[in-house]
Amino acid sequence: MLNFEFYSPTKIYFGKELEEKIGPVIQDYGYGNVLIVYGGGSIKRNGLLGKVEDSLKKSGLSYTELGGVEPNPKIDKVYEGMEIVREKKIDFLLAVGGGSVIDTCKSISIGIANNIDPWVMIEKNIMPEKAMPVGTVLTIAAAGSETSNSHVISNPAVNSKRGFNHDLLRPLVSFLNPENTYSVDRYQTACGIVDIMMHTFERYFTPEKNCEPTDRIAEAVLIAVKEVAHDALEQPDNYEARATLMWSGSLSHNALTGLGRAGGWAPHKLSLDIGGAFDHVAHGAALSVIFPSYCRYVMQYDIQRFARIATRLWGIETDFEHPEKTAKLGIDACEAFFHSLGMPTRLSELRIGAENIEMLASMTTRDDTITLSSYIPLHKKELMEILELAK
């Protein structure tokens, strides 16, 4: 088990009818001028935005709104938010939405607080020294950004989508009401399920040994998600299923499921570039395509671990004489599970042809100048071979 530091300062309010608490909580922290950031019009139609506004008004807080955040959140919206913060003297950022909205707030936060273009910070890996406070009102269980130290931003001008991590990016407070996810459609719910599982898979499949407490936590989160996934899809207003997904999403990406392990994140990094190059591809969809092929490529370097998850998560009987058979069946089961959710498992289903494979591998390795961490270093050549398996 590797040395680690674990810092998870986000205060969580979880459960029904939390919206009335938002204003008083922000007021108690000492803030008074809020920028509400959100995506499309769904939170207006379902009344959530009105509830948030009412709570802020009753607490005597001022607020300004910034809507229109898109999936694969764009840096231009971040710049727009930074201008509003400066003009209106905003002192608190409130994300009402999912990962894209929260990540937009996080980028605004570090850009404003450090007086640096946040895209330059991402590209040059400039660590922030401070951050504006961010709160979240979560509307989709997926990214885990409501408790994580990470965020992802796209820059269409350079056809790029990049992630950036720092503990100052963790929200100050998050309001998690599973009822606010009832209106999420079937496809986006399925994308979220994949994303939640992947945040734990990425931490689980690393070469470090003897992380048993962490591994058991990771397996428990994965099992919980698997067991309620179809209930959430078939019964959108099933509170317990939605609650399990929402809390699992937070646990899966606050670092708890990977303590003592390094975490390589190769599938995520490749999937981010797929989303950057092809804006129509949802992040969860890219992951459901890449991950099974990635597993088949690296399985040989840790057969026992792949066999373990095949048995513990997918219920496959262990073949002790031929654990590689168990491992392969586990990967097949994972791919079948993604397919059962209605998720793609081939690049062709994403309308990405074989002619794009070299371009994607070059993007992710920055023209073969960097490697991705895994059981072995992954260069452009290895990524092309993984993409070939996925086509």
Side-chain angles (χ1 to χ4, degrees):
M1 184 183 296
L2 298 177
N3 293 359
F4 63 82
E5 296 179 9
F6 181 53
Y7 178 64
S8 187
T10 307
K11 183 163 186 178
I12 301 292
Y13 290 85
F14 190 100
K16 301 177 181 180
E17 300 176 358
L18 293 176
E19 290 70 37
E20 62 188 26
K21 295 180 180 289
I22 295 170
V25 167
I26 295 174
Q27 184 185 51
D28 285 347
Y29 279 116
Y31 301 107
N33 195 3
V34 179
L35 178 62
I36 304 173
V37 182
Y38 59 93
S42 62
I43 65 167
K44 292 182 178 180
R45 294 190 296 272
N46 65 22
L48 176 58
L49 181 59
K51 292 178 182 178
V52 172
E53 292 170 337
D54 287 345
S55 183
L56 297 178
K57 288 176 186 175
K58 288 177 181 177
S59 296
L61 304 181
S62 301
Y63 64 87
T64 305
E65 296 177 4
L66 173 63
V69 174
E70 300 175 355
N72 294 323
K74 312 299 188 294
I75 192 65
D76 286 349
K77 186 60 68 172
V78 173
Y79 295 150
E80 184 179 348
M82 291 172 66
E83 286 301 312
I84 294 173
V85 170
R86 293 188 184 103
E87 178 185 346
K88 300 287 186 178
K89 295 180 169 49
I90 300 293
D91 60 9
F92 190 89
L93 301 169
L94 183 63
V96 184
S100 294
V101 174
I102 299 170
D103 287 1
T104 298
C105 279
K106 289 182 176 184
S107 193
I108 294 170
S109 167
I110 58 172
I112 283 289
N114 298 278
N115 196 30
I116 301 175
D117 182 332
W119 185 257
V120 173
M121 295 181 75
I122 293 171
E123 283 290 272
K124 295 187 176 181
N125 202 35
I126 299 172
M127 293 296 106
E129 296 180 0
K130 50 190 174 179
M132 279 189 68
V134 173
T136 83
V137 182
L138 191 62
T139 63
I140 180 170
S145 196
E146 67 277 1
T147 58
S148 79
N149 69 346
S150 63
H151 80 313
V152 176
I153 295 293
S154 296
N155 188 342
V158 292
N159 206 32
S160 183
K161 184 177 180 182
R162 294 279 178 244
F164 184 78
N165 297 354
H166 194 280
D167 274 333
L168 286 173
L169 289 170
R170 292 188 189 271
L172 178 65
V173 60
S174 288
F175 300 89
L176 277 57
N177 180 352
E179 294 173 315
N180 290 331
T181 68
Y182 287 177
S183 60
V184 178
D185 66 36
R186 184 185 180 97
Y187 180 67
Q188 289 302 324
T189 298
C191 284
I193 290 167
V194 173
D195 202 12
I196 291 168
M197 297 182 81
M198 283 301 305
H199 286 148
T200 289
F201 280 141
E202 294 271 26
R203 293 175 165 96
Y204 188 86
F205 288 112
T206 68
E208 292 77 33
K209 307 298 181 185
N210 302 318
C211 299
E212 195 62 23
T214 296
D215 290 347
R216 292 287 186 169
I217 292 169
E219 290 162 4
V221 170
L222 290 167
I223 290 167
V225 172
K226 185 194 75 168
E227 288 183 346
V228 303
H230 287 98
D231 288 341
L233 293 177
E234 301 301 331
Q235 306 163 37
D237 58 353
N238 183 321
Y239 181 84
E240 293 304 327
R242 291 287 188 173
T244 296
L245 290 183
M246 180 171 270
W247 186 227
S248 296
S250 297
L251 291 174
S252 189
H253 205 30
N254 72 352
L256 183 64
T257 60
L259 297 179
R261 293 188 170 278
W265 298 94
H268 251 80
K269 291 174 181 177
L270 185 51
S271 295
L272 288 178
D273 281 322
I274 290 174
F278 301 94
D279 198 48
H280 68 277
V281 178
H283 183 52
L287 288 169
S288 66
V289 168
I290 294 302
F291 184 61
S293 294
Y294 167 80
C295 290
R296 293 184 176 105
Y297 194 84
V298 302
M299 180 197 78
Q300 61 182 308
Y301 302 105
D302 202 351
I303 286 173
Q304 293 296 336
R305 189 150 193 79
F306 280 90
R308 168 174 168 153
I309 202 68
T311 298
R312 295 192 176 180
L313 177 59
W314 305 115
I316 295 166
E317 185 176 353
T318 303
D319 185 335
F320 292 99
E321 292 186 5
H322 303 285
E324 71 281 359
K325 293 182 179 179
T326 307
K328 289 177 182 178
L329 289 173
I331 297 169
D332 291 345
C334 181
E335 186 174 61
F337 177 74
F338 289 165
H339 187 71
S340 76
L341 302 176
M343 296 301 294
T345 55
R346 318 292 337 145
L347 285 172
S348 58
E349 295 176 76
L350 300 178
R351 305 196 305 277
I352 298 174
E355 69 276 7
N356 300 120
I357 284 176
E358 183 174 3
M359 176 269 291
L360 289 170
S362 291
M363 283 181 65
T364 306
T365 60
R366 304 196 182 188
D367 294 323
D368 214 14
T369 60
I370 63 171
T371 60
L372 302 190
S373 298
S374 182
Y375 290 98
I376 58 170
L378 299 176
H379 303 80
K380 176 181 174 181
K381 172 181 175 293
E382 286 78 21
L383 291 189
M384 288 183 65
E385 290 171 353
I386 291 169
L387 288 164
E388 283 285 342
L389 290 175
K391 68 180 181 182

